[in-house]
Amino acid sequence: MALVKPAYLPPLYQDSAEAGRLILRDGSTAILRVARPNDYEAMVEFFRRLSPESRRQRFFSASKPPEEDIRDLCDSSDRHAAFTLVAWRATTGAPTIIAVGSYFSKDAHTAEVAFAVDDTLHGKGLGSLLLERLALLAAREGFSKFWAVTHPDNRPMIEVFRRSGFQLKETPAGGEVEVEFSLAPTAASASRAEWLDEVFTTASMRPFFYPRAIAVIGASRDPSSIGYRILETLVLTRFQGAVFPVNPKAAVIGSLRAYPRVADIPDPVDLAVIVVPRDIVLPIVDECAAHGVRALVVISAGFAETGAEGRLLQSQLVDKVRGYGMRLIGPNCLGLVNTDPAVRLNASFSPVYPPEGRVGLLSQSGALGIAILSLAQQLHLGLSTFVSVGNKADVSGNDLIQYWEHDPRTSVILLYLESFGNPRRFARIARRVSRGKPIIAVKGGRTKAGVRAAGSHTAALAASNVAVEALFQQTGVIRADTLEEMFDVAAALSNQPLPKGQRVGIVTNAGGPGILCADTCETGGLTIPELSESIRTQLAQFLPAAASLANPVDMIASASPEQYRRTIETLLRAEEIDALIILYIPVGVSNTAAIVEAIGQGVAQARAAGAAEKPVIVCAMTDAGGLPPLAVGAERIPAYQFPETAARVLSRMAEYARFRARPAGAFVEFEDLQLETIRAIIQRALAAGSPRWLSSQELSTLLAAAGIPFAGTVVRTADEAVDASEAIGFPVALKLASSTVVHKTEAGGVHLNLTDESGVRRAVAAIAAAIERAGSPEALEGFLVQPMIRGGCELMIGVVEDPSFGPLIAFGLGGVHVEILGDVIFRVAPLTDDDAREMVRGIKGYRLLEGYRGAPAADVPALEECLLRISSLVEHVPEIVELDLNPIFALGPGQGCRIVDARMRVAAAQGPS
């Protein structure tokens, strides 16, 4: 692969780089936005509040800065000249600036950076957060370096620069220190940004799960009300902290003293659960802030889920909460649960308090959340924590995944999702977290909700579910089709080790279930290997002659507890087995209890003999609807009612194990990517209107600047076509050059195997006549002259912009096969080198690329490079919203690939995310 280097992605934010929430080191929050002219008075007040020493470090003078300087800080109208971000909080109900960060143009490529933080908030990470965002925004404006000058004794500012992870150069200069660093993300800067996000977000979640005291605002004496039920669940589950009911019309509720207002509560409160009518939620938030409450759960409905008025109210709610430095779950939610015995928190109106376990569970649906908790209890699945996020106005799934990543009580993460707030951030977080803890998700909305006009093959193939499937594949998220399947897989992953391979042993006392289990295993990518002669000999010593010693091992219906025990121990210790499924079907008069005990003994003995790293799954087809998990010492063995379920669960475990075993992919950057040329082409094109398809000439030049191997020359006349043909060498292909005609062959726009000048001239005339007959002369932009490419497999690569997920990249068989066979794989940009390898090898037609039945193999590395170049291109140039490269001819090893047809649609970018 030519001219590449590691690429480190800049941070992605829940809101955006220049607006939305900031989470500080202590878990409190602030609001970030671009400075505005009407911030002048607040900015004056901010610098007045700074200590003389802080002013001296910022302005080299302890006196207040000049009025002109402050007005300049409030003007960000020309982002290349100067730009300022302000962080603010609400103090006594009014917004108060708590930090200011700015950059100012020093030259074409360098900007000076400076920031100041309220003296009371030093050490909270505000300086690092401002620097991180300013660096990203300055790079988007074309700056490549930051420069700053400071006093040598300004250690906090210098340490912020040093810890940023950027490549830093410090130079003494006349008693001061000049600092200069590149804005290109490095491994250290990317790691630092992720670390800050993880640690600060985790800190902000703790008041929800470990509150010392809770206020239930809207607690009621009416047993049918939600306020009554929440108070009741807190008391009945024995919350290990103080509970304060708040109700202006009751002195006592449920034997607890009630308070008319939050301000009347005599003790500090960490968490407030708000169950009041929608229209008084905002004043209640003011009361909570005044009392020092750190976290809110708003059960009340009537916000964004109800329409425009509700959305406006929810926006005001979020601004208020963040401005006060608090976090919010909801609104319109069920609440949350923490089963930690030291807390015993059920701050929800669910009557079900799940058993303690190692599973963290998120539900986007409040109503479904009650059913989910009931199902977890029925299936004996223990939870560490449960959260109903409701409208996800503030706390999102991304926040909770990061909390669970660092929670020692959580080993498996379950998600019921109806939508993604920020899919690209989800991808970044899930890709990292899945390496250590499995994430299992049920995502609603698999079907295509509507049909849109598709301007390319790629768009026609990209149904609404494609992006979700691609995202989960890339990030290692295990997708479950149903809630029951989600819990089934969670029960195994939270209690059993991951399989080291795909080889499964099956023990059964009935042939039919064993066959069903084996079939489902192989369908799921597992193998049922033949047992070695040594293992068969050992089994023959204690199994009856009628038993089948193959795999599955059918002990026959009369199998005794002792035969179960010895067979399980023998198979689980066998070197040719990576995992074991045990089937038990009661036949006639059976002793289920004795069989279950024998299963546990067999597993325990095999574990003691060294088979500790192999998962074991049980299927018991009993009349009682199966068995609860089997306890083998501290180990729990999941039990399912049907053999197919057990096999599917093990298949999901093995698939996840393969993801964990693969090296983490790397992002790459192409040093020969000519971004200035590419952006200039697109800007000139968009000057004529947006959106639009690029002309053939524009596209040919753009692809060349991106290092993407497009074959051919665009010409205007027959004479130019002849000259180009002679330069290329006969035979040639002549095609219609058009940005509007998708199927050129059907339009009479393709002529192949032209061997001389007269053939080229006839082809030019024929294409022009065909376009004239079609009544669309404007479609003729010229002619594309290409060499005739012999052999090679026809493939396609495409891009389509998903409104939620960003660019989707497609790869598959091309030419006429693309829409007939649909052998296409999608992934979400940006791609890692591992993603590119998986895409090329993941299509059914990959055998053609290996050299099928004597045909020559293809240059697979060239295809992977082409995918990675396109990924880098669409990441850097968001104006590209649709791209089709079809067909691409994959030539022999070392010969590369050639694109012989291409289309690209561009549109004005929607702004930074």
Side-chain angles (χ1 to χ4, degrees):
M1 194 180 297
L3 296 170
V4 299
K5 59 182 179 180
Y8 303 104
L9 301 181
L12 277 175
Y13 302 103
Q14 195 73 40
D15 302 308
S16 78
E18 62 186 44
R21 75 178 185 197
L22 287 175
I23 303 178
L24 279 55
R25 187 183 299 276
D26 62 358
S28 64
T29 62
I31 293 181
L32 182 77
R33 62 169 172 78
V34 179
R36 301 187 290 244
N38 60 4
D39 288 326
Y40 174 75
E41 296 297 336
M43 196 87 76
V44 169
E45 174 60 21
F46 168 72
F47 287 115
R48 186 196 65 77
R49 287 198 324 271
L50 287 185
S51 66
E53 178 61 20
S54 293
R55 285 198 294 268
R56 185 179 70 85
Q57 290 174 347
R58 172 62 179 84
F59 294 103
F60 295 89
S61 170
S63 60
K64 288 182 287 186
E67 176 181 322
E68 182 180 347
D69 289 358
I70 295 181
R71 291 200 185 279
D72 288 344
L73 290 175
C74 296
D75 182 7
S76 297
S77 57
D78 181 353
R79 293 190 175 201
H80 195 83
F83 182 77
T84 298
L85 290 173
V86 295
W88 63 270
R89 277 184 178 167
T91 303
T92 62
T96 301
I97 294 175
I98 59 172
V100 175
S102 308
Y103 68 73
F104 311 92
S105 176
K106 189 169 182 283
D107 57 45
H109 301 288
T110 307
E112 180 180 358
V113 63
F115 45 84
V117 176
D118 190 289
D119 291 274
T120 64
L121 292 169
H122 287 182
K124 296 290 195 282
L126 268 168
S128 295
L129 294 173
L130 285 172
L131 177 62
E132 177 187 293
R133 290 161 194 263
L134 287 168
L136 174 60
L137 294 168
R140 288 177 178 170
E141 289 299 315
F143 292 107
S144 59
K145 290 187 296 184
F146 264 168
W147 175 87
V149 59
T150 185
H151 292 286
D153 60 352
N154 189 358
R155 306 312 302 172
M157 184 172 179
I158 293 173
E159 283 304 306
V160 166
F161 290 141
R162 288 175 177 171
R163 290 195 301 263
S164 68
F166 292 108
Q167 296 177 351
L168 196 68
K169 178 183 176 182
E170 297 180 41
T171 306
E176 310 294 345
V177 176
E178 290 187 4
V179 178
E180 186 177 89
F181 54 91
S182 166
L183 298 182
T186 66
S189 69
S191 177
R192 171 74 175 172
E194 281 198 6
W195 183 83
L196 290 177
D197 192 29
E198 291 173 49
V199 172
F200 293 7
T201 299
T202 298
S204 76
M205 294 290 100
R206 285 195 63 81
F208 290 107
F209 297 114
Y210 289 92
R212 292 162 297 176
I214 298 175
V216 181
I217 305 169
S220 171
R221 290 177 171 177
D222 180 1
S224 65
S225 70
I226 292 178
Y228 178 94
R229 289 162 60 185
I230 289 175
L231 187 64
E232 182 181 48
T233 59
L234 283 167
V235 173
L236 292 181
T237 54
R238 302 191 305 279
F239 169 60
Q240 300 296 295
V243 179
F244 300 105
V246 177
N247 186 321
K249 298 180 181 179
V252 176
I253 301 176
S255 301
L256 294 174
R257 180 185 174 186
Y259 298 88
R261 299 178 307 148
V262 177
D264 298 320
I265 297 174
D267 298 324
V269 173
D270 293 320
L271 174 65
V273 182
I274 300 177
V275 198
V276 299
R278 179 192 76 167
D279 293 339
I280 62 171
V281 167
L282 267 62
I284 292 295
V285 171
D286 293 331
E287 292 185 29
C288 289
H291 197 69
V293 175
R294 299 178 62 195
L296 305 175
V297 176
V298 178
I299 308 292
S300 310
F303 289 87
E305 78 279 8
T306 62
E309 182 184 352
R311 285 193 294 272
L312 176 60
L313 191 62
Q314 181 167 302
S315 176
Q316 294 169 347
L317 170 65
V318 172
D319 284 347
K320 195 174 275 289
V321 168
R322 292 178 177 174
Y324 282 131
M326 299 186 289
R327 299 298 317 263
L328 161 72
I329 289 176
N332 184 36
C333 71
L334 171 65
L336 69 128
V337 174
N338 182 5
T339 64
D340 188 336
V343 182
R344 296 191 61 84
L345 171 65
N346 186 359
S348 78
F349 55 94
S350 168
V352 177
Y353 185 70
E356 183 190 2
R358 302 194 59 77
V359 174
L361 173 58
L362 174 151
S363 173
Q364 193 168 337
S365 166
L368 191 58
I370 296 176
I372 288 174
L373 289 175
S374 297
L375 186 57
Q377 188 175 57
Q378 292 168 26
L379 297 175
H380 309 280
L381 183 69
L383 303 183
S384 61
T385 42
F386 163 81
V387 182
S388 163
V389 292
N391 291 1
K392 300 189 297 183
D394 179 41
V395 170
S396 67
N398 293 334
D399 295 323
L400 289 164
I401 292 170
Q402 294 198 101
Y403 172 79
W404 284 320
E405 177 184 13
H406 295 280
D407 179 24
R409 297 182 58 249
T410 300
S411 58
V412 179
I413 298 167
L414 304 187
L415 309 173
Y416 169 74
L417 301 171
E418 295 173 352
S419 64
F420 290 94
N422 189 328
R424 305 192 82 185
R425 189 162 184 262
F426 174 90
R428 189 86 63 88
I429 293 169
R431 194 190 291 266
R432 181 188 74 238
V433 175
S434 289
R435 290 281 168 185
K437 294 184 179 181
I439 301 172
I440 311 170
V442 173
K443 170 64 176 67
R446 283 177 173 270
T447 58
K448 194 168 184 178
V451 179
R452 60 181 177 140
S456 67
H457 300 297
T458 310
L461 292 164
S464 61
N465 187 51
V466 163
V468 176
E469 197 63 42
L471 182 69
F472 287 172
Q473 285 285 334
Q474 284 171 271
T475 58
V477 173
I478 303 165
R479 186 169 193 177
D481 293 329
T482 64
L483 292 173
E484 186 172 14
E485 183 183 6
M486 178 173 74
F487 286 130
D488 286 341
V489 176
L493 285 171
S494 60
N495 292 292
Q496 291 293 305
L498 292 174
K500 302 295 185 184
Q502 317 302 309
R503 303 168 302 172
V504 181
I506 300 173
V507 176
T508 182
N509 65 337
I515 293 170
L516 289 173
C517 186
D519 288 345
T520 308
C521 281
E522 292 194 336
T523 300
L526 302 173
T527 60
I528 313 298
E530 289 285 340
L531 299 177
S532 66
E533 188 62 34
S534 171
I535 296 297
R536 292 163 71 96
T537 299
Q538 292 178 52
L539 293 173
Q541 293 175 5
F542 55 83
L543 291 181
S548 169
L549 304 183
N551 190 14
V553 176
D554 183 0
M555 302 177 296
I556 71 172
S558 59
S560 67
E562 179 64 10
Q563 289 168 336
Y564 258 101
R565 182 190 67 78
R566 295 186 67 180
T567 302
I568 290 167
E569 182 183 2
T570 301
L571 274 188
L572 196 54
R573 294 176 61 184
E575 291 185 1
E576 59 261 44
I577 295 300
D578 299 310
L580 184 64
I581 297 177
I582 303 165
L583 308 180
Y584 167 59
I585 297 86
V587 180
V589 179
S590 64
N591 187 348
T592 297
I595 296 290
V596 169
E597 184 178 359
I599 291 173
Q601 290 172 349
V603 173
Q605 289 164 358
R607 298 292 197 218
E613 297 301 315
K614 299 180 181 182
V616 177
I617 290 176
V618 169
C619 165
M621 300 181 70
T622 64
D623 293 338
L627 298 173
L630 280 62
V632 180
E635 180 180 355
R636 294 294 181 271
I637 301 175
Y640 306 102
Q641 189 171 9
F642 300 106
E644 298 95 332
T645 303
R648 279 194 292 268
V649 166
L650 189 57
S651 298
R652 296 302 183 93
M653 293 178 71
E655 182 181 358
Y656 174 63
R658 288 195 296 272
F659 169 82
R660 287 267 293 260
R662 289 202 314 259
F667 298 101
V668 296
E669 186 72 42
F670 292 86
E671 293 181 334
D672 61 350
L673 187 64
Q674 300 172 34
L675 286 174
E676 290 187 8
T677 299
I678 292 167
R679 288 177 176 138
I681 292 169
I682 289 177
Q683 290 309 313
R684 284 196 300 269
L686 291 177
S690 174
R692 58 158 291 195
W693 294 92
L694 293 187
S695 71
S696 299
Q697 184 62 63
E698 290 168 332
L699 183 51
S700 174
T701 307
L702 187 151
L703 293 176
I708 295 171
F710 183 72
T713 303
V714 178
V715 298
R716 297 283 183 180
T717 66
D719 289 340
E720 290 177 358
V722 170
D723 291 342
S725 300
E726 290 175 344
I728 290 171
F730 292 103
V732 297
L734 189 81
K735 299 179 182 178
L736 165 69
S738 175
S739 60
T740 57
V741 177
V742 178
H743 301 287
K744 295 181 174 62
T745 302
E746 297 172 9
V750 177
H751 292 256
L752 306 177
N753 290 307
L754 305 177
T755 59
D756 54 27
E757 176 182 344
S758 61
V760 171
R761 293 187 181 278
R762 285 195 300 271
V764 167
I767 291 173
I771 295 300
E772 188 68 30
R773 286 195 300 272
S776 52
E778 71 283 352
L780 178 60
E781 298 168 358
F783 307 92
L784 179 62
V785 184
Q786 296 177 313
M788 286 298 303
I789 299 174
R790 304 294 184 184
C793 184
E794 289 189 50
L795 301 161
M796 65 82 65
I797 296 175
V799 176
V800 63
E801 179 78 11
D802 183 277
S804 297
F805 292 79
L808 292 179
I809 300 179
F811 174 81
L813 292 181
V816 296
H817 303 109
V818 60
E819 289 177 352
I820 297 174
L821 300 180
D823 185 14
V824 176
I825 283 182
F826 281 83
R827 290 293 182 265
V828 178
L831 301 180
T832 65
D833 54 357
D834 187 60
D835 291 331
R837 281 193 296 270
E838 290 285 314
M839 290 179 77
V840 174
R841 288 158 181 78
I843 62 171
K844 297 182 182 69
Y846 178 64
R847 292 175 66 188
L848 298 173
L849 304 182
E850 293 180 298
Y852 184 66
R853 291 193 174 181
D859 192 340
V860 170
L863 294 171
E864 294 171 2
E865 178 177 338
C866 194
L867 279 166
L868 291 171
R869 283 185 176 275
I870 289 167
S871 173
S872 183
L873 174 64
V874 298
E875 275 293 293
H876 284 294
V877 188
E879 291 86 357
I880 298 172
V881 295
E882 206 165 332
L883 170 66
D884 246 15
L885 308 179
N886 179 35
I888 302 171
F889 281 91
L891 306 180
Q895 298 179 44
C897 59
R898 296 292 184 272
I899 298 161
V900 298
D901 202 1
R903 302 187 77 226
M904 180 183 288
R905 188 166 66 96
V906 295
Q910 297 302 304
S913 62

